[in-house]
Amino acid sequence: MSDSLPPRLPLDWIAASLRRERTRAGISLSELAKRAGIAKSTLSQLEAASGNPSVETLWALGVALGVPFSALVEPPAPSVQVIRAGQGPTVASEKAEFAATLLSASPPGARRDIYHLRAEPGTVRESEPHIPGSVEHLIVGTGRVKAGPVGEEVELEPGDYMTYRGDVAHSYEALTPGTTFVLVMQHM
């Protein structure tokens, strides 16, 4: 799958977002690294646009900052936005054949993000709890996926929909090659 992944997110988007959200939260580089459970040097590299962020690192930083994942990866958007298949801002997992493409971040006043995900069988993508009040809505496009809170996972097929709390440990596992699904993250 790695040969078919879209281009990575521009590091300058992530760096600017991290600095903005850390400054807004009023915490030091050291404190944010500690809260997120990552090395200060890793965070320093990310803020200097020279790091190599994974989904897991960015989720941990978002939770530590109390902001949705999208707040760290969202580029400035024009008034009309089209994202062609395979061309959106994408971040790959370091622990599973799993890539998340942000389709729409929550606009001001709303708290939801929309992602298109691609996953391949072989490794479960385990997700730590997101910010309190998060709810996930999942709709399968192709293939089969097993997803949901740990211990309550459900197998889904194309067209199936499920919703569950995102502020508890949960997972996604592709059961067939070429599995795709849309994930809407709602932040209360």
Side-chain angles (χ1 to χ4, degrees), residues 6 12-13 32 39 51 70 77 84 88 99 101-102 104 122-123 130 133 138 142 179:
D12 55 336
W13 293 351
L32 177 56
S70 63
R84 302 283 180 208
T101 301
L102 177 65
S104 175
T123 308
H130 305 310
L138 189 149
T142 59
T179 296

Side-chain angles (χ1 to χ4, degrees), residues 7-30:
R8 295 169 32 82
L9 286 169
L11 294 176
D12 55 336
W13 293 351
I14 294 169
S17 297
L18 281 170
R19 285 189 303 271
R20 178 191 68 233
E21 295 300 332
R22 185 173 60 78
T23 300
R24 189 177 305 182
I27 57 177
S28 68
L29 196 76
S30 297

Side-chain angles (χ1 to χ4, degrees), residues 18 35 56 69 85 94 134 149 182:
L18 281 170
R35 290 182 188 183
E56 293 80 7
F69 174 82
E94 63 186 22
S134 296
V182 172

